[in-house]
């Protein structure tokens, strides 16, 4: 009984300690892991989007260049017909 009294007294010294701290820490650690995982997924998605944009920009540039060359070629033909002796 004396030992129980002594241990109870020692426990009262620690009454200010947050008894849920370990649970809170584990919960926050799990939340952090989930957020880090989500961030990595978002980063991968952003990288994929940037790669897609670069690919689409290259396709757009090729299409514009091809269209410009076609227009220039057709203009030269039409100009030669409209202006006899003229050159495109």
């Amino acid at each position: 009984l004396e030992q129980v009294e002594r241990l109870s007294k020692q426990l009262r010294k620690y009454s200010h300690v947050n008894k849920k701290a370990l649970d809170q820490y584990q919960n926050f650690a799990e939340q952090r892991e989930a957020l880090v995982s989500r961030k990595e997924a978002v980063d991968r998605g952003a990288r994929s989007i940037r790669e897609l944009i670069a690919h689409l920009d290259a396709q757009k540039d090729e299409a514009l260049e091809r269209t410009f060359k076609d227009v220039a070629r057709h203009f030269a033909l039409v100009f030669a017909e409209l202006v006899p002796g003229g050159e495109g």
Side-chain angles (χ1 to χ4, degrees), residues 31-61:
Q31 288 178 359
R32 183 184 182 280
E33 272 305 309
L35 290 173
V36 166
S37 177
R38 284 175 51 194
K39 182 191 178 299
E40 290 170 353
V42 167
D43 289 345
R44 283 192 304 273
R47 188 170 39 255
S48 293
I49 290 170
R50 284 192 298 271
E51 290 171 0
L52 176 61
I53 289 172
H55 177 73
L56 292 174
D57 278 345
Q59 283 184 330
K60 174 196 65 166
D61 292 343

Side-chain angles (χ1 to χ4, degrees), residues 1-79:
L1 191 62
E2 202 174 291
Q3 187 177 4
V4 171
E5 279 278 326
R6 188 173 49 81
L7 291 174
S8 291
K9 188 176 181 181
Q10 286 179 352
L11 280 175
R12 281 192 290 269
K13 289 180 187 177
Y14 299 105
S15 64
H16 66 283
V17 174
N18 183 354
K19 293 169 182 64
K20 295 181 182 177
L22 181 59
D23 290 338
Q24 289 175 340
Y25 171 78
Q26 289 172 338
N27 186 28
F28 291 146
E30 290 171 6
Q31 288 178 359
R32 183 184 182 280
E33 272 305 309
L35 290 173
V36 166
S37 177
R38 284 175 51 194
K39 182 191 178 299
E40 290 170 353
V42 167
D43 289 345
R44 283 192 304 273
R47 188 170 39 255
S48 293
I49 290 170
R50 284 192 298 271
E51 290 171 0
L52 176 61
I53 289 172
H55 177 73
L56 292 174
D57 278 345
Q59 283 184 330
K60 174 196 65 166
D61 292 343
E62 290 171 10
L64 284 172
E65 186 175 341
R66 188 173 50 250
T67 302
F68 180 79
K69 286 179 181 178
D70 286 346
V71 167
R73 184 169 42 84
H74 289 294
F75 178 79
L77 295 173
V78 170
F79 186 80

